[in-house]
Amino acid sequence: MGTRVDMKGISIEFPGVKALSDVDFSVRTGTAHALVGANGAGKSTLMKVLSGAHVHYSGDIYLDGIKRQIRSPKEAQGHGIQIVYQEVDTSLIPYLTVGENVMLNEMVQNMGQKQLVKWKNLHNAAAQILQDMNIHVSSKQLVKDLTLAQKQMVLIARAVSTECKFLILDEPTAPLSHRETTELFRIVNELKQKDVGIIFISHRLPEIFEICEDITIMRNGEHVTCRKTGDINQKDVVELMLGKTMDEQFPEVNAAIGDIVLEVKGLSDAGKIKDVNLHLKAGEIIGLAGLVGAGKTELCKVLFGHTSIRVGEVILNGRRLSLKTPHDAVKNGLALVPEERRKEGVLVQESVTSNLTAASLGEFSSTLSFLNRKAEKEKATEMIASLGIKTPSGEARVEHLSGGNQQKVAIGKWLIADADVYIFDEPTKGVDVGAKKDIFHLIAKLARNGKAIIYASSELSEIIGITNRTYVLYDGSTVIELKTNKTNEEELLYYSTGGE
């Protein structure tokens, strides 16, 4: 039967929030066990308890019926429990090589033993692990130069480089392409055959039914049910997650389409983007479709002044823009909700209020540059209520919010700033079905208010569901423009993979 972990009666509180309430969870080696729930359900918190990141919990953890103390990551790793977090950049050291990051646990364990690092042996060992996992990255490449997908695979390689009995994967496929997801599933199946237990946190339900034998559903910090995946369907899972029936996910936009607001002509940057052409009208939602690595994020960053334009033009309301910094973009009425929200979209150590007003502080400042805290707080409170942000108060730090609520904060700051063009880069990544629906309704409302929307996503069903027109990107270029109601996911995928 292999090894079994049982978590019994786990509870934990943070300031103003009871994150877990008397939760039971069990998993055995040799299987993949899905852990699902809406954002804020407590999935990641429960796994942080198991992996030793949260130590102030009550309840018990048993390995094969023997009660164990897990009060640090080192103790968890000593029991063979490894975790790969969703936000990969918080777990990697960017200025070290891939090999050093893969072998980091071993290097840390050997610290203080007064022995020299044998760099050749380290890189050979890392290269072998990468090769076994079919990851085509040099062990001597710096992590800061990797794509998001490559970083994710490096983290998984690190986890399995040590004696691993249980591997926790928190939204592992969110940054991965279809091909990379297939590779990940191959690795997961191989690990199961080697009697490793996989705990798989994901909002992509089809993946769960493909890879997992068991599923545990959580809601509001409590255990709802545990089932065999063969004994339940996706619709029932969603309704158990939300505690209610799920209505139609995509809203009717019904926005009046106005004149052209934004034109992009022959745009190229110094890297990925090559000869991009597109236009966008008031009240219109255009999609940027493409696989991971197609250049969607890079194009969004160029349009927001984050990276430099080498050739081409960006024209807003008939006026050519000079976009040298994000400040230039904001000043001209452009807003970006970035893909990596914790790294680029929110200030995780700051309060919800501070984040919501960060892009529009001028509205709350006097002529003497004093900040009107009362007005700032009132506006933030209004936005929290309007967006349905689940937080104990506006003073709560953003790092304590769930992923979906962090994303609402990232969007809310631009609603207060009142931009003309909103650029959404993978806005539903790592977000549950309930929060996704909220985000779609927000975007539809912006369009009805005459705002122009760019919606970049590798989730082709979302492109079909929410946009008016779609530009497909392949290898950094726009390859075709399609009316969304005249196309389908198959055609988008065809062009996304280089079809002509």
Side-chain angles (χ1 to χ4, degrees):
M1 286 293 291
T3 304
R4 181 182 172 98
V5 164
D6 293 289
M7 306 178 76
K8 296 186 177 180
I10 304 296
S11 297
I12 192 168
E13 292 188 26
F14 298 100
V17 180
K18 185 154 191 179
L20 297 173
S21 181
D22 200 29
V23 174
D24 294 343
F25 177 77
S26 298
V27 61
R28 66 186 187 279
T29 54
T31 66
H33 193 124
L35 184 58
V36 303
N39 287 110
K43 310 177 299 294
S44 295
T45 303
L46 184 65
M47 289 302 100
K48 285 179 180 178
V49 169
L50 182 58
S51 61
H54 288 329
V55 300
H56 62 289
Y57 65 90
S58 61
D60 299 308
I61 300 174
Y62 298 85
L63 269 75
D64 283 340
I66 301 171
K67 187 175 175 180
R68 302 289 189 180
Q69 286 291 326
I70 297 180
R71 300 288 176 175
S72 71
K74 185 176 180 181
E75 286 180 341
Q77 289 167 15
H79 293 301
I81 299 166
Q82 297 278 354
I83 186 166
V84 176
Y85 290 111
Q86 178 184 350
E87 305 293 347
V88 296
D89 283 302
T90 63
S91 303
L92 292 168
I93 302 175
Y95 51 82
L96 294 184
T97 64
V98 168
E100 289 166 321
N101 272 278
V102 169
M103 305 304 292
L104 189 63
N105 290 340
E106 184 177 315
M107 291 174 68
V108 170
Q109 287 172 4
N110 292 332
M111 283 178 66
Q113 297 182 17
K114 295 185 178 179
Q115 60 182 22
L116 296 173
V117 176
K118 296 180 180 178
W119 295 106
K120 184 177 180 181
N121 292 352
L122 180 145
H123 284 292
N124 285 344
Q128 187 61 54
I129 293 166
L130 294 168
Q131 183 180 323
D132 291 345
M133 295 177 65
N134 211 8
I135 301 172
H136 304 293
V137 178
S138 168
S139 72
K140 296 185 179 179
Q141 190 172 351
L142 290 178
V143 159
K144 70 179 179 65
D145 297 327
L146 300 183
T147 65
L148 198 58
Q150 289 171 327
K151 291 175 184 176
Q152 178 73 277
M153 301 307 271
V154 167
L155 270 180
I156 295 170
R158 179 203 291 173
V160 301
S161 70
T162 57
E163 186 64 34
C164 182
K165 293 179 182 175
F166 294 95
L167 178 61
I168 305 163
L169 300 175
D170 190 356
E171 292 290 347
T173 62
L176 304 185
S177 67
H178 178 74
R179 179 182 60 79
E180 289 159 340
T181 297
T182 302
E183 277 298 306
L184 173 65
F185 286 179
R186 179 187 64 79
I187 292 165
V188 167
N189 283 322
E190 285 185 2
L191 290 171
K192 286 195 288 184
Q193 290 169 12
K194 293 176 182 176
D195 203 35
V196 175
I198 309 294
I199 302 170
F200 196 89
I201 302 175
S202 179
H203 292 303
R204 294 177 171 179
L205 296 184
E207 295 178 352
I208 284 169
F209 283 87
E210 180 180 346
I211 201 72
C212 296
E213 288 81 17
D214 303 285
I215 181 169
T216 290
I217 301 169
M218 296 181 65
R219 185 172 67 243
N220 297 330
E222 298 180 351
H223 175 277
V224 175
T225 188
C226 178
R227 305 270 188 90
K228 293 286 183 186
T229 49
D231 296 337
I232 194 169
N233 60 42
Q234 290 186 42
K235 180 176 179 291
D236 290 339
V237 169
V238 170
E239 291 182 358
L240 286 166
M241 283 168 55
L242 300 178
K244 59 184 179 182
T245 57
M246 186 64 186
D247 302 322
E248 184 65 34
Q249 191 171 26
F250 298 106
E252 287 287 337
V253 178
N254 294 327
I257 307 298
D259 296 330
I260 290 177
V261 174
L262 183 74
E263 292 180 273
V264 176
K265 298 181 178 180
L267 189 69
S268 301
D269 66 2
K272 186 82 176 178
I273 302 305
K274 295 170 290 198
D275 194 30
V276 165
N277 295 277
L278 59 84
H279 69 274
L280 175 61
K281 297 177 180 179
E284 188 178 36
I285 305 170
I286 65 164
L288 296 182
L291 302 180
V292 172
K296 302 183 301 297
T297 292
E298 289 82 356
L299 177 57
C300 292
K301 288 186 174 182
V302 170
L303 294 176
F304 195 60
H306 188 273
T307 49
S308 299
I309 297 171
R310 187 171 59 83
V311 295
E313 296 179 303
V314 178
I315 300 166
L316 183 69
N317 293 321
R319 183 169 55 88
R320 181 175 176 175
L321 300 183
S322 175
L323 297 173
K324 295 181 179 177
T325 65
H327 176 73
D328 295 332
V330 174
K331 190 171 60 176
N332 284 287
L334 296 167
L336 170 65
V337 179
E339 177 182 16
E340 298 185 64
R341 58 175 169 263
R342 283 182 67 89
K343 184 180 175 184
E344 300 172 341
V346 293
L347 302 165
V348 293
Q349 296 289 329
E350 298 297 327
S351 70
V352 173
T353 294
S354 296
N355 272 272
L356 286 171
T357 59
S360 50
L361 286 175
E363 288 186 30
F364 309 103
S365 300
S366 67
T367 52
L368 298 175
S369 297
F370 290 114
L371 193 62
N372 185 335
R373 294 286 184 187
K374 183 181 177 183
E376 181 192 26
K377 185 176 180 180
E378 286 175 353
K379 190 65 179 179
T381 301
E382 177 188 323
M383 190 57 63
I384 289 166
S386 173
L387 298 183
I389 299 171
K390 292 181 181 177
T391 176
S393 74
E395 299 311 306
R397 290 203 302 198
V398 167
E399 66 180 333
H400 293 143
L401 303 188
S402 68
N405 286 301
Q406 288 180 5
Q407 188 70 307
K408 289 180 183 180
V409 171
I411 295 170
K413 73 177 180 185
W414 295 118
L415 299 184
I416 292 174
D418 194 31
D420 294 320
V421 177
Y422 286 82
I423 306 167
F424 292 89
D425 185 13
E426 299 286 359
T428 64
K429 189 176 88 173
V431 170
D432 72 74
V433 287
K436 279 183 184 181
K437 186 177 178 182
D438 291 342
I439 290 169
F440 296 143
H441 278 272
L442 279 171
I443 290 170
K445 185 177 179 181
L446 285 170
R448 287 193 292 270
N449 289 338
K451 306 300 182 182
I453 316 289
I454 296 175
Y455 191 96
S457 180
S458 53
E459 298 286 348
L460 300 182
S461 61
E462 296 181 9
I463 294 285
I464 294 292
I466 196 70
T467 67
N468 302 102
R469 289 183 299 114
T470 300
Y471 293 91
V472 180
L473 267 69
Y474 177 76
D475 196 24
S477 299
T478 43
V479 293
I480 195 166
E481 174 193 347
L482 299 163
K483 285 192 174 182
T484 309
N485 63 3
K486 301 275 180 69
T487 187
N488 54 42
E489 290 184 49
E490 288 73 23
E491 185 176 25
L492 292 181
L493 185 60
Y494 172 75
Y495 289 113
S496 295
T497 53
E500 297 181 356

